[in-house]
Amino acid sequence: MQVLYTASARATGDGRDGHVRTSDGTVELDLALPKEMGGAGGAANPEQLFAAGYAACFHSALRVVARQAKADVSGSVVEAEVGIGPNGSGGYGLAVTLVVDLPAVERAAAEQLVDAAHQVCPYSNATRGNVEVTRTVRAAL
């Protein structure tokens, strides 16, 4: 693979109760363990960051495949929900739900676009076989 761009971020402090900063300083956040996991909450957490990245990346992939299919994806929205929990092997795993709103596309075409985007999106390709990714499509009809 020819790498076109590399992002770099550094975590300091106490991991999930620490701080993250990208090398260029455009993202800089305190982190806190969510209340649901026994922490104080009140700050970002890695699952939120992953959800934001996946949602943006998938939306971009969706727009690429829609352009190729000459489909109108105006008003489209992608929401990524990232869950974390014990994986049964002593570690933790993630589960992702992608909710894709395509108000200007009929259901069958919308499902085809989402399936195609799932094949193109780098986050989908990275998680395939490792993370359960459920896709929910909301379409015009």
Side-chain angles (χ1 to χ4, degrees):
M1 177 180 89
Q2 177 187 358
V3 175
L4 301 176
Y5 169 76
T6 299
S8 177
R10 174 180 284 199
T12 57
D14 214 7
R16 289 178 166 276
D17 282 315
H19 189 83
V20 291
R21 182 184 188 282
T22 57
S23 59
D24 64 3
T26 58
V27 176
E28 186 165 3
L29 299 167
D30 288 328
L31 300 176
L33 190 64
K35 289 181 180 181
E36 295 85 349
M37 294 176 68
N45 63 65
E47 290 69 39
Q48 291 171 324
L49 299 174
F50 188 77
Y54 204 157
C57 190
F58 195 88
H59 202 191
S60 184
L62 178 67
R63 296 181 69 74
V64 166
V65 299
R67 256 191 316 275
Q68 293 169 346
K70 296 181 178 23
D72 178 11
V73 293
S74 57
S76 61
V77 175
V78 175
E79 180 178 339
E81 302 168 353
V82 176
I84 183 172
N87 65 8
S89 300
Y92 287 83
L94 300 175
V96 174
T97 299
L98 297 172
V99 180
V100 182
D101 289 309
L102 292 166
V105 181
E106 292 182 11
R107 171 152 303 281
E111 289 176 359
Q112 287 177 345
L113 289 172
V114 169
D115 288 345
H118 192 52
Q119 296 306 309
V120 171
C121 175
Y123 276 66
S124 292
N125 289 330
T127 58
R128 191 169 289 112
N130 284 328
V131 175
E132 179 184 337
V133 178
T134 303
R135 298 179 309 268
T136 300
V137 179
R138 297 181 188 149
L141 302 173

